[in-house]
Amino acid sequence: MSSDLFSADLPSDEDWVKRVVALRQKLRELSLAYYVLDKPMVSDAEYDSLYKQLELLEEKYPDLIPVDSPTQRVGGAPAEQFQQVRHVIPMLSLNNGFKDEDIIAFDKRVKDGLSSLTEIAYATELKFDGLAISLRYEDGVLVGAATRGDGTTGENVTANIRTVRAIPLRLHGDNPPQVLEVRGEVLMYKNDFAKLNQRQRDAGLKEFANPRNAAAGSLRQLDSKITAQRTLRFFAYGIGVLEGMDMPASHSALLDWYSSLGLPVCKERAVVHGAEGLLKFYNGIGAKRGELPYEIDGVVYKVDRLDQQQQLGFVSRAPRFALAHKFPAQEALTVVQGIEVQVGRTGAITPVARLVPVFVGGVTVTNATLHNEDEVRRKDIQIGDTVIVRRAGDVIPEVVAYVPESRPADAKPFEMPKECPVCGSPIVRLEEEAIARCSGGWVKCSAQRKGGLQHFVSRRAMDVDGLGDQLIDQLVDKNVITTAADLYRLGLTSLAELDRMAEKSAQNVIDALEKSKSTTLARFIYSLGIRHVGEATAKELARHFGNMDAVLAATEEQLLEVADIGPVVARSIISFFEDSLNVELVNQLRAAGIHWTEGAGVEIQAKTLAGKIFVLTGTLPTMSRDDAAQMIEAAGGKVSGSVSKKTSYVVAGAEAGSKLAKAEELGIAILDEDALVALVQSGPQDAADVAATE
Ligand code: IVH
């Protein structure tokens, strides 16, 4: 881009024309790259700066601004209402299929209808979850846009559609048809939807239930300035009126042509043959559905050849040549029968909606989380409401929104109980927190005990195989165990006596518990379930302090020195260990035989120190000398008591004496504790560097 495009002084008329034309062209190319090719060429800021330049230049001759200039997307006063538009060719809908048999039957109908002996070629694409739109281009310029409406008459949303940057105001190429009616779907990407809802929240406005509602709401704004603030997208998938040229021979050729005109066409499309090809496409898209940046509710199959499409024709309001193969719905409507609260392992109280059972996302859902009290208020969900329930992938089902029109007169708002439904302790909510908690702690509250134990045995914590939630419930309810330490005292008979436990599975649990005793310090810390201490923080603690006693003794200041630990986490760790019961638990667990072999809790991947001889001297800042020695040996090194020419490294702490002097004399590399840890973790090359810089 030549720099004179940015120059602020007013150009001569000739220059002016050159510059506005070049800028318009550049901005169109950038939009195409961003919205159609999915390959952004510049940052948003650069785009904005070029856009401002053009606006500035165009001010000189406002009458000469063409309607398809990139600056002409928003304009005019808000409309009073949308005008009706009659579709010359009706906008039809698709028949749906759900099961494999439906698809096989569809393929057979098509084959029979065409009396074809060979497999049919189908164009396959996505079924976008947005809203259908018709765009009218005359001589390559966008002149009108209408919603589908009832299929015969829609609404004129031209002003709003012009703000959608994904839709070209002018088609590419020198030979546009006289009239082209492009049909396709307007939708909102998931990330743009999330951003929009965040903005709505910040402004105290109502959130949208899903991207489709957000797209529809944005398109049906009477003020196109509002639409312009929402990022809408578009994918072309069909054609209406075409004048001044011949139809392409196939649907796939139509989409390729669209693409060459600068219209966005989804790249998840293919041409396949026969029912087998259709099902393969369906399964392939199903597997990557979650990774797509937008929502789809299925795939669409269309007989590829247009002459064959014509031959097949339509039944009532849907084509015989096409079928939507739908995924199991991820959203469904049902009624909230009640709102109960669940108590988590940290005492967190989660309101849960009890629902009239509904089939959604491939399973029957009877409960859905409402997250927390504020969320219930914000979404204004009441008992008796009809709600949209959503279950996407393996995510916990959640209540998205209620349907205002269906609220019964006797709907009851949720009230946070004053007392824990499990142990009766007061429920408290600190001012700065979003979460209300049961104040009973695990000593009083069996729900917290259960949650804590479930966490303790979970795969990423102590990894005790075969100790499921139901078993833990029984053990706690029958008062067989109270703490994690009790798990290691379980006998075969007490386990085998439980419901649905045979001696064999009881023995498996005992074996798994035994096996879990050999662990890492990081896992052990994580398994304690200290609030705010997730896996990453547990690893950092283990690395920094090296042993459990140092963690127990750590002051707030020392904790704050650990990477990633801030005041909230530090406070949480301190208050956890201020409770003598927690310290006792740690000690009981260690006494039960839980140990970590990899010296001081540093994760050792390989025998990085094989063949190296170490001498330890002085007091290290956090590790005991035993811990350090253990760590070196775990990494394959040897520890010797005296310095000689054979010594590879001397690890020196505070008040190191004659051994340090001797090492200096012999020119042996000297390490401090941090350098030792680095050496253990990454091997001698790095450590030589560390030592050299000391
Ligand atoms: S073709 C005559 N293709 O589904 C066929 N529709 O039930 C007309 N839709 O209103 C539609 N993705 O909003 C077609 N790839 C796709 C589609 C698609 C989504 C929607 C569209 C239409 C509805 C038909």
Side-chain angles (χ1 to χ4, degrees), residues 270-433:
V271 176
V272 305
H273 293 87
E276 206 179 310
L278 297 177
L279 294 174
K280 206 168 149 214
F281 181 78
Y282 175 83
N283 290 327
I285 295 296
K288 64 172 171 188
R289 180 184 188 184
E291 295 156 27
L292 296 172
Y294 40 78
E295 303 222 345
I296 57 172
D297 54 358
V299 296
V300 179
Y301 310 138
K302 295 169 184 169
V303 170
D304 194 30
R305 275 169 51 182
L306 260 51
D307 60 332
Q308 292 187 330
Q309 289 194 0
Q310 252 159 15
Q311 205 180 326
L312 286 160
F314 299 82
V315 243
S316 67
R317 308 195 33 77
R320 268 200 206 91
F321 57 79
L323 188 76
H325 190 177
K326 305 264 283 217
F327 293 129
Q330 293 189 314
E331 285 185 358
L333 287 178
T334 187
V335 173
V336 178
Q337 291 178 309
I339 299 178
E340 290 170 358
V341 297
Q342 267 173 11
V343 188
R345 78 179 151 87
T346 59
I349 304 283
T350 309
V352 175
R354 255 197 325 104
L355 306 168
V356 173
V358 62
F359 193 73
V360 52
V363 297
T364 301
V365 169
T366 49
N367 295 305
T369 180
L370 291 165
H371 300 292
N372 59 54
E373 198 178 0
D374 290 350
E375 187 86 350
V376 183
R377 299 268 172 276
R378 199 164 53 73
K379 291 183 174 167
D380 186 22
I381 287 160
Q382 304 191 4
I383 300 158
D385 272 341
T386 297
V387 290
I388 301 171
V389 176
R390 186 176 168 76
R391 181 186 176 273
D394 292 333
V395 182
I396 309 168
E398 62 168 349
V399 175
V400 180
Y402 82 100
V403 182
E405 300 77 45
S406 310
R407 171 163 287 174
D410 61 350
K412 271 219 307 283
F414 166 71
E415 260 178 68
M416 181 57 87
K418 303 255 175 310
E419 279 149 20
C420 172
V422 177
C423 71
S425 304
I427 287 178
V428 288
R429 178 172 166 187
L430 301 179
E431 247 172 62
E432 69 277 16
E433 286 207 8

Side-chain angles (χ1 to χ4, degrees), residues 423-662:
C423 71
S425 304
I427 287 178
V428 288
R429 178 172 166 187
L430 301 179
E431 247 172 62
E432 69 277 16
E433 286 207 8
I435 308 276
R437 286 172 204 279
C438 158
S439 59
W442 60 264
V443 178
K444 289 201 193 113
C445 186
S446 68
Q448 293 185 51
R449 275 205 294 283
K450 287 175 186 171
L453 287 162
Q454 282 163 11
H455 172 77
F456 183 83
V457 302
S458 65
R459 203 170 51 80
R460 308 191 75 94
M462 297 301 285
D463 191 19
V464 185
D465 243 7
L467 206 78
D469 293 359
Q470 277 158 6
L471 200 55
I472 287 177
D473 285 356
Q474 280 195 65
L475 288 166
V476 172
D477 290 339
K478 294 184 175 158
N479 280 321
V480 185
I481 60 170
T482 312
T483 72
D486 297 336
L487 286 171
Y488 293 95
R489 298 187 197 108
L490 280 172
L492 197 57
T493 32
S494 57
L495 267 172
E497 272 166 15
L498 299 172
D499 301 342
R500 277 172 294 173
M501 274 300 257
E503 188 152 329
K504 173 98 175 50
S505 35
Q507 186 59 52
N508 287 346
V509 171
I510 302 259
D511 292 347
L513 280 162
E514 194 55 40
K515 195 168 142 230
S516 75
K517 286 182 183 172
S518 171
T519 187
T520 66
L521 176 56
R523 273 177 180 269
F524 181 70
I525 294 172
Y526 174 63
S527 75
L528 295 173
I530 306 167
R531 254 176 82 194
H532 304 301
V533 178
E535 261 186 301
T537 309
K539 274 195 185 139
E540 279 304 325
L541 284 166
R543 205 195 78 73
H544 187 92
F545 291 104
N547 66 74
M548 195 61 216
D549 287 325
V551 178
L552 287 170
T555 62
E556 207 164 328
E557 292 75 45
Q558 286 169 337
L559 286 167
L560 287 169
E561 284 165 19
V562 181
D564 289 344
I565 291 191
V568 174
V569 184
R571 224 15 277 147
S572 168
I573 297 168
I574 293 288
S575 71
F576 185 87
F577 291 123
E578 265 166 11
D579 187 337
S580 61
L581 285 171
N582 288 329
V583 178
E584 198 179 307
L585 174 66
V586 168
N587 290 331
Q588 285 183 3
L589 287 167
R590 290 197 287 194
I594 291 179
H595 61 282
W596 32 95
T597 49
E598 12 134 269
V602 176
E603 298 264 7
I604 293 167
Q605 313 294 345
K607 300 277 179 202
T608 45
L609 303 186
K612 301 288 176 206
I613 298 170
F614 289 74
V615 173
L616 301 165
T617 177
T619 311
L620 298 176
T622 70
M623 281 184 208
S624 71
R625 249 196 269 175
D626 276 355
D627 280 342
Q630 207 187 353
M631 180 173 78
I632 290 165
E633 281 160 7
K638 285 210 169 58
V639 178
S640 149
S642 60
V643 180
S644 75
K645 271 192 254 167
K646 287 191 192 145
T647 308
S648 319
Y649 301 98
V650 168
V651 182
E655 276 145 38
S658 62
K659 289 178 190 169
L660 176 60
K662 179 118 190 246

